[in-house]
Amino acid sequence: MAMSETSRTPLPHAAPRGFLAAAASQHGGLITAFFLMALIVPFLGSYWIKNFTSMIAVAIAAQGVALLHARLGFVSLAGIAMMGVGGWFGLRLAHATGLPFEIVLVLAALCTGAAGVLLGLPALKHRGLIYALITLMFAAGFHVVVSSIGFPDGGSGFWGRIDGSAERQLMARPAIAASDLAYFLYALAIAAAAFTATHIVTKSAVGRAWAMIRAGDAVAHAAGVRIGIARAKAFGLAGALAGVGGCLLAGSIGQLDGRSFDPVQSLLLYGLVIIAGPWSLAAALIAGFLYRMFPAILDSWGVDGDIAITIFGLALIHAIVSAPRGIAGQLHDLTSAIQNRLSGVDR
Amino acid sequence: MIDIDALTVTFGGVTPIDRLSLTLDGQIVGLIGPNGAGKTTLLNVLSGLVRPSAGTVRLFGKDIGALAAGQRLGWGVTRAFQTPQVADDLTASENIQVALDSLQVPRAEAATRLAETLERVGLAGHARRLGAHLDGFDLRMTEIGRCLVTGPKLIMLDEPAAGLAAAERTRLIDLLRGLSRAGTRILIIDHDIDLIAGLCDQVAVLDFGHLVASGDTDTVLADPKVRAAYLGEFEDDDAEARAA
Ligand SMILES: Nc1ncnc2c1ncn2[C@@H]1O[C@H](COP(=O)(O)OP(=O)(O)OP(=O)(O)O)[C@@H](O)[C@H]1O
Ligand SMILES: [Mg+2]
């Protein structure tokens, strides 16, 4: 019961000093990346446009993983599984109600947010490795269920599965974004909104509460922070982000395949978020890029895309050993070095 | 204003506070005692961070045993920590603002109070500096600001003068005197006897979780038992210091 003032929340990945100040001015690069994608991707072929759309969907879910890691110090190894949950809700709601895509997206986000809060409940008692394993077991369980039952495809009943010979139905895309390209731009706009919302929340009273909890449970209590509620909000937001990502992915392909939601994918996404540097809002985009585009690029070069996993493993070791601020941090150093060079500042 | 009756705190086999009964009243009251005496533990009990195993605590006549730490804040009792607890990645201003977040203060009033508090603790110029980049004195002031912004009845400070340079110490004293004049009660723990002697109306002395003495500052500090507990720490120089 005792909480001495020295019992700071153990947080092995506390933000490195110096980078914190930089984080504020760092969104320039992220905004540029969004604009560049909007300008360049339309000129790529359909294969790339679809891959970029998936990447954006994954990036939104990765934002939730980064949030839990950086703001709360919790390791979530269920990032892709939660995307699957979001996709399930999206498909189920779309087929059952025929509501416009936007409304389905919001509802899927809310349902997945609630699922995120539930998955956060064990965090009341467990943290560190134990909590990470709980999320990994959830990811594994989700994979088992969804690969045996399958994602909803327009059938009736709770699971919404078509039986027998009837044709599987695809989830309808938004009316304004029926083509692959329009849908990519649509997803990009949703991602921009989701990232902005995440930024606003971290700058609000909720974000301040998270920061106080990181500083220590005792000071958080003394400052009037309700720790359980503040944490639940983070788990809810992370779930909602995964829900948006999963629903966008379902809308992109029209249906989802349970086999692509195996727990290794969630594990991989977490590793990529760490490599990317979760302290930065841009990390999610970098993680999405590595997760989806890097293997696609290798494939297009005729190299086995699974090689990517090996390369990611090495990158993770590199990140842990020598780049604790991740790729986002290194990119930031690079851009500020260039800026200083251009403005003649010698450091 | 502080009435403690038969208070006991145990952590496993350790009993840092043992059937302590104590009454303190004054504008500024002090709590002194050697290392490990139980001062911080008592402050943790008063602020609701540690639940006593037995005994009652009254503040301003109210038994606060059932109030959680956050509720005590709302009720006007706040504290700072022996090691300043400031979030590295929030600015000085945000580190103070966080205490207002739970109190449902209207936005405009919150902004005014925040600006006034930053001014008062001398952080107006560093308001946007991150906690990670604040120096020791500014960290202390950020914590005191977090206490003040809620408009408390009582603020409790745990060794606020530790590690301060002479000029900073003077600024701290001026701040505390100003607060006290404006009606805020202050409980201060410190090893700096001159500071305690100069500021406090009443003092309690703890040793091994027991009360050695309590009452008016001059009487208590002259008590031979107290001087023994502090063994030479201020034997020679306090008389001159207080005369000066
Ligand atoms: N959470 C805890 N668990 C176990 N023992 C504790 C805990 N907090 C304090 N103690 C013990 O209680 C005793 C009193 O500690 P406390 O911090 O209250 O002393 P203090 O008077 O503030 O000392 P100092 O002047 O060094 O700050 C010490 O022996 C300490 O080790
Ligand atoms: Mg102490």
Side-chain angles (χ1 to χ4, degrees):
Chain A
M1 185 54 238
M3 257 176 307
S4 88
E5 64 188 41
T6 46
S7 72
R8 287 174 74 105
T9 312
L11 191 58
H13 21 254
R17 288 172 174 235
F19 176 60
L20 296 164
S25 63
Q26 206 187 20
H27 302 318
L30 185 62
I31 295 164
T32 312
F34 270 80
F35 274 107
L36 282 179
M37 280 191 290
L39 289 177
I40 294 171
V41 173
F43 296 100
L44 306 175
S46 154
Y47 170 78
W48 292 108
I49 291 174
K50 281 186 197 156
N51 269 308
F52 266 102
T53 306
S54 305
M55 163 192 151
I56 292 300
V58 171
I60 297 172
Q63 195 63 267
V65 175
L67 178 95
L68 291 180
H69 179 97
R71 310 282 154 193
L72 244 57
F74 279 102
V75 175
S76 165
L77 301 180
I80 295 294
M82 286 305 281
M83 249 186 116
V85 172
W88 191 91
F89 279 121
L91 289 167
R92 192 71 200 86
L93 289 163
H95 291 310
T97 64
L99 285 166
F101 187 87
E102 288 74 15
I103 297 179
V104 169
L105 187 69
V106 171
L107 293 176
L110 290 176
C111 293
T112 319
V117 173
L118 288 181
L119 189 58
L121 285 181
L124 290 174
K125 284 205 104 147
H126 304 285
R127 47 175 64 237
L129 184 61
I130 301 295
Y131 183 73
L133 287 174
I134 290 171
T135 60
L136 187 62
M137 283 189 283
F138 169 80
F142 177 77
H143 178 234
V144 169
V145 171
V146 89
S147 43
S148 70
I149 295 174
F151 279 95
D153 55 4
S156 56
F158 178 77
W159 297 107
R161 295 287 294 167
I162 294 277
D163 45 350
S165 56
E167 201 176 327
R168 300 180 66 194
Q169 290 173 26
L170 296 184
M171 180 177 175
R173 283 183 181 175
I176 55 161
S179 77
D180 284 346
L181 176 58
Y183 191 77
F184 164 73
L185 294 171
Y186 183 90
L188 198 63
I190 300 279
F195 281 30
T196 307
T198 306
H199 176 69
I200 290 171
V201 171
T202 55
K203 289 284 159 203
S204 73
V206 180
R208 286 193 288 276
W210 294 338
M212 288 316 281
I213 297 171
R214 281 197 306 285
D217 281 0
V219 66
H221 279 298
V225 171
R226 284 177 295 173
I227 295 181
I229 291 176
R231 284 210 179 112
K233 286 177 182 167
F235 284 107
L237 178 57
L241 288 166
V244 170
C247 195
L248 281 175
L249 190 67
S252 168
I253 313 166
Q255 59 191 25
L256 292 174
D257 181 352
R259 283 167 301 179
S260 42
F261 290 89
D262 72 83
V264 172
Q265 299 304 311
S266 293
L267 204 57
L268 179 62
L269 184 66
Y270 176 76
L272 294 177
V273 165
I274 298 303
I275 293 171
W279 273 98
S280 162
L281 212 52
L285 195 65
I286 297 170
F289 180 85
L290 294 173
Y291 181 89
R292 202 71 190 85
M293 299 308 293
F294 193 57
I297 290 169
L298 289 182
D299 267 341
S300 76
W301 288 345
V303 181
D304 183 354
D306 287 346
I307 288 273
I309 303 229
T310 315
I311 298 173
F312 291 155
L314 295 174
L316 187 56
I317 294 169
H318 169 72
I320 290 166
V321 173
S322 61
R325 292 152 44 203
I327 296 174
Q330 290 180 317
L331 285 177
H332 180 263
D333 284 353
L334 186 67
T335 48
S336 38
I338 293 171
Q339 274 168 4
N340 289 341
R341 183 65 60 83
L342 291 178
S343 59
V345 180
D346 217 359
R347 286 206 293 179
Chain B
M1 70 186 160
I2 300 176
D3 294 291
I4 293 164
D5 187 34
L7 182 75
T8 301
V9 176
T10 46
F11 300 126
V14 194
T15 307
I17 296 183
D18 193 7
R19 281 164 294 162
L20 177 72
S21 296
L22 165 65
T23 300
L24 276 174
D25 204 358
Q27 288 305 315
I28 306 186
V29 298
L31 188 57
I32 60 174
N35 293 108
K39 306 180 296 293
T40 298
T41 306
L42 180 58
L43 207 150
N44 285 343
V45 171
L46 293 174
S47 57
L49 296 181
V50 163
R51 201 170 285 266
S53 354
T56 56
V57 175
R58 292 172 174 277
L59 290 181
F60 303 103
K62 180 182 161 84
D63 183 347
I64 53 160
L67 295 183
Q71 292 171 310
R72 293 184 201 199
L73 179 81
W75 192 66
V77 175
T78 66
R79 70 164 295 178
F81 290 82
Q82 187 165 347
T83 318
Q85 301 283 300
V86 171
D88 280 355
D89 49 340
L90 296 183
T91 62
S93 168
E94 289 170 324
N95 262 295
I96 293 174
Q97 190 180 4
V98 77
L100 283 178
D101 290 336
S102 65
L103 297 184
Q104 264 115 43
V105 180
R107 194 175 277 251
E109 193 197 327
T112 318
R113 274 213 228 168
L114 187 58
E116 279 170 8
T117 305
L118 284 163
E119 195 65 49
R120 199 163 195 187
V121 297
L123 283 171
H126 293 168
R128 296 170 66 92
R129 192 172 283 191
L130 288 172
H133 302 148
L134 293 172
D135 66 25
F137 182 64
D138 285 348
L139 289 174
R140 291 269 179 220
M141 288 297 146
T142 304
E143 273 219 307
I144 294 178
R146 188 191 292 143
C147 293
L148 288 185
V149 76
T150 59
K153 296 200 272 269
L154 169 66
I155 78 173
M156 305 186 286
L157 306 174
D158 197 348
E159 302 193 21
L164 297 190
E168 296 167 341
R169 187 171 170 279
T170 308
R171 283 172 62 192
L172 174 75
I173 292 172
D174 289 347
L175 175 66
L176 297 183
R177 288 225 170 95
L179 287 175
S180 166
R181 272 196 300 275
T184 309
R185 309 290 193 103
I186 300 168
L187 167 69
I188 179 166
I189 296 177
D190 220 293
H191 287 292
D192 181 343
I193 297 299
D194 294 338
L195 180 87
I196 297 286
L199 278 175
C200 300
D201 314 326
Q202 289 203 345
V203 187
V205 185
L206 295 187
D207 198 7
F208 292 112
H210 296 282
L211 186 66
V212 177
S214 72
D216 290 342
T217 306
D218 291 340
T219 321
V220 169
L221 293 184
D223 188 329
K225 277 185 306 197
V226 174
R227 303 179 76 93
Y230 263 96
L231 226 49
E233 270 189 48
F234 66 109
E235 253 174 25
D236 308 321
D237 52 44
D238 75 314
E240 303 128 60
R242 264 186 292 151

